[in-house]
Amino acid sequence: MSAAFTNRRLKYTDAVTSSALPLDQLDFSNRFTTELPADPDGRAVPRQVERAAFSRVTPAPTAAPSLVAHAAEVAELLGIDEATVTSDDFAQVFSGNRLPDGSDSFSMVYGGHQFGNWAGQLGDGRATAIGEIRTPDGGYQTLQLKGAGLTPYSRGADGLAVLRSSVREFLCSEAMFHLGVPTTRALSLVLTGDKVVRDMFYDGNPKPELGAIVCRVAPSFTRFGNFQLPASRGDLDLLRQLVDFTIRADFPELVPDDEPTVLSDATIVAWYAEVVRRTAVMIVEWMRVGFVHGVMNTDNMSILGLTIDYGPYGWLDNFDPDWTPNTTDAGQRRYRFGHQPPIAHWNLAQLGSALTSLVEDHEPLQKALNAYVETHETGFAEMMAAKLGLGALTEGDNDLIAGVLHILTLAETDMTIFYRRLADLPANADTPEDRLAPLLDAYYLPEQLTDEVKAEIDQWLAAYQARLAQAGRPDADRKAAMDAVNPKFVLRNYLAQLVIDGIEGGAPSDAGATDTETIDIYELLDVLRMPYDEHPEHEAWAGKRPDWARERAGCSQLSCSS
Ligand code: AMP
Ligand code: MG
């Protein structure tokens, strides 16, 4: 493209009139940067930033941006048409090379508890929002570039992102959305044309990788840690401004018409209760689909109850409540699959503590926090009843739910396949063999299905059948209901890796898979867009994780830098 792009501060409008460029028509509202205090220091130099909610940051220039993929529904949501998506300007803007008219780019300052310990100031070290826009549907969305260069919060790191982590973030955001899990979205995945050096295994062998940027999209990227940081510093003015702004901007339905300018304690408590509720709902959804976030630090908890910050996440292949994909957490396994519900509760308690300095009577905050347990338990039981096709919960269903979670651990069992195939169990199957038959594909190691294990599984299947008989729902109805909550396709860790292999240039470098076995990103995205449908032409992607992926880096294990 033209020389105008070589200087990141030079607007493309210097060369071409702005009306010629569709992205200059985005309707920037920029409420966060207009209404909250800015860091007066404009340098992207690592430092403590106090009495400010954000720093203005210009994205770093990129050498030769090119679009790898985009999510059509997200473009549509933002009012960006397909011709614009394929234009060179799109890659320039969503790599940070050109800021569109009206943008006000910034990085947020926040703190957080990391792995249970207060870590002080963190902030957007590699994320810069280009601004908030009004969308054609009347809503607001913030467009944030992840991997756009140094910010005041980069803390000795480079502010950049590599292709493998960007592919994983892009695909997983969209997969989660289409599964019905609350999440931030991804508009685009762009290669920057720059190389980024990473020591992927932390073993002293850094190597250059392809630089990439994902444009993430959400109504707000505010995290629990945005509130925790000013609270920890005793900066109650900033804390109050952030709380007021967030409630008015993102939870306007909670503000009574006659509310005074300064929000009342009751409104703040109602808001906290809503954050508790949304977080509990999000966690139930993670448990439904077998998603493990991997780094549930309080700086990675969205105030909107959205899944945010896709790093060393993973999907359960075989059901194992103790599994974590994050090698950085291999020791204590704090963020293992089965521990996500209590961790969310703990994180909410930290947010609640931050709010105690604003609210006079702490009792209602405590009550709102306590409601997490009930909301989660009820939500979890209802979700499990739906997975099992039970309809409304009845007495004894808790035992049935505990029972299925137990039999899933008796032998290495693919969680996704198991639930999907359970829908095929005929209500009238009357021998143990007939009952087990539809599920056989879910087992990784047939030799683990000893007579004893089979007997235990059958005991549960027989009880399940009896419960189904009591409900008296026709098999076909039950299957349709179960297929609507038990996805056939999830973003198995190895599938994302085969997409990465394909973009990086072909053959997997370090193990097992055949040279030709790579996956096209749009082909996979198309299936993940309709994860409850059958897609018989892609049956293999619904199958068990292949053996070569069992221990391969990227497929089973990732580090925080992933
Ligand atoms: P995460 O575990 O990805 O949520 O990151 C934790 C903190 O480290 C956040 O403040 C990030 O912005 C920061 N961070 C992670 N990777 C980088 C990077 N490559 N450059 C700068 N900051 C980073
Ligand atoms: Mg983070």
Side-chain angles (χ1 to χ4, degrees), residues 24-162:
D24 287 322
Q25 310 303 320
L26 291 171
D27 182 10
F28 280 94
S29 41
N30 300 330
R31 293 175 301 168
F32 195 88
T33 50
T34 311
E35 295 178 34
L36 290 169
D39 166 19
D41 183 345
R43 298 167 306 144
V45 173
R47 59 201 148 83
Q48 292 294 303
V49 173
E50 301 199 15
R51 305 197 180 282
F54 66 93
S55 303
R56 288 205 161 80
V57 173
T58 308
T62 55
S66 61
L67 182 67
V68 175
H70 76 290
E73 299 89 350
V74 182
E76 194 184 331
L77 169 73
L78 303 176
I80 301 174
D81 63 29
E82 288 286 308
T84 303
V85 168
T86 51
S87 69
D88 183 64
D89 188 53
F90 185 88
Q92 298 294 346
V93 166
F94 294 107
S95 70
N97 254 358
R98 184 182 86 84
L99 291 170
D101 282 356
S103 87
D104 191 12
S105 55
F106 68 102
S107 297
M108 282 180 170
V109 53
Y110 51 79
H113 279 87
Q114 295 187 314
F115 300 97
N117 305 305
W118 177 243
Q121 178 183 302
L122 297 166
D124 287 330
R126 56 177 158 176
T128 297
I130 65 176
E132 179 201 54
I133 64 167
R134 294 218 71 163
T135 53
D137 65 4
Y140 294 91
Q141 298 287 341
T142 295
L143 313 179
Q144 192 192 61
L145 306 181
K146 186 166 175 181
L150 291 176
T151 81
Y153 314 106
S154 299
R155 296 183 298 147
D158 56 12
L160 303 174
V162 294

Side-chain angles (χ1 to χ4, degrees), residues 328-352:
T328 316
D329 189 27
Q332 54 169 344
R333 292 180 183 267
R334 180 180 173 86
Y335 300 139
R336 62 192 182 271
F337 179 67
H339 209 214
Q340 298 185 118
I343 286 291
H345 192 196
W346 190 89
N347 288 345
L348 286 160
Q350 309 315 311
L351 174 64

Side-chain angles (χ1 to χ4, degrees), residues 471-495:
R473 195 176 194 184
D475 280 357
D477 284 9
R478 173 173 56 92
K479 179 173 165 54
M482 289 173 74
D483 284 358
V485 293
N486 295 317
K488 178 165 175 178
F489 295 91
V490 295
L491 181 60
R492 291 174 184 274
N493 311 306
Y494 86 93
L495 294 174

Side-chain angles (χ1 to χ4, degrees), residues 65-312:
S66 61
L67 182 67
V68 175
H70 76 290
E73 299 89 350
V74 182
E76 194 184 331
L77 169 73
L78 303 176
I80 301 174
D81 63 29
E82 288 286 308
T84 303
V85 168
T86 51
S87 69
D88 183 64
D89 188 53
F90 185 88
Q92 298 294 346
V93 166
F94 294 107
S95 70
N97 254 358
R98 184 182 86 84
L99 291 170
D101 282 356
S103 87
D104 191 12
S105 55
F106 68 102
S107 297
M108 282 180 170
V109 53
Y110 51 79
H113 279 87
Q114 295 187 314
F115 300 97
N117 305 305
W118 177 243
Q121 178 183 302
L122 297 166
D124 287 330
R126 56 177 158 176
T128 297
I130 65 176
E132 179 201 54
I133 64 167
R134 294 218 71 163
T135 53
D137 65 4
Y140 294 91
Q141 298 287 341
T142 295
L143 313 179
Q144 192 192 61
L145 306 181
K146 186 166 175 181
L150 291 176
T151 81
Y153 314 106
S154 299
R155 296 183 298 147
D158 56 12
L160 303 174
V162 294
L163 177 75
R164 63 190 151 87
S165 56
S166 305
V167 167
R168 286 168 45 80
E169 170 122 25
F170 176 82
L171 282 176
C172 203
S173 314
E174 291 306 289
M176 291 283 268
F177 173 79
H178 293 288
L179 284 165
V181 184
T183 179
T184 61
R185 304 291 303 271
L187 168 66
S188 55
L189 167 62
V190 172
L191 275 169
T192 59
D194 296 307
K195 289 278 162 48
V196 175
V197 174
R198 282 285 179 278
D199 186 356
M200 179 174 172
F201 299 104
Y202 293 114
D203 63 357
N205 287 307
K207 59 168 200 175
E209 297 191 40
L210 300 175
I213 293 177
V214 169
C215 176
R216 311 197 287 191
V217 176
S220 155
F221 286 95
T222 301
R223 301 136 190 274
F224 292 6
N226 289 68
F227 305 94
Q228 288 183 278
L229 186 62
S232 77
R233 289 168 168 171
D235 186 350
L236 300 191
D237 279 354
L238 180 60
L239 178 63
R240 175 158 285 283
Q241 287 182 74
L242 274 166
V243 168
D244 269 39
F245 173 81
T246 300
I247 296 176
R248 290 184 197 280
D250 298 315
F251 298 81
E253 67 283 1
L254 298 180
V255 185
D257 288 340
D258 56 355
E259 187 88 353
T261 336
V262 175
L263 295 179
S264 69
D265 283 12
T267 300
I268 294 173
V269 171
W271 166 64
Y272 177 61
E274 176 62 9
V275 178
V276 170
R277 189 192 67 77
R278 289 192 193 187
T279 304
V281 167
M282 173 188 78
I283 297 291
V284 167
E285 291 293 283
W286 291 2
M287 305 310 281
R288 174 172 68 87
V289 298
F291 174 78
V292 191
H293 183 284
V295 210
M296 292 177 69
N297 293 334
T298 56
D299 52 303
N300 290 339
M301 297 293 293
S302 144
I303 205 68
L304 300 182
L306 303 174
T307 313
I308 191 172
D309 273 14
Y310 293 94

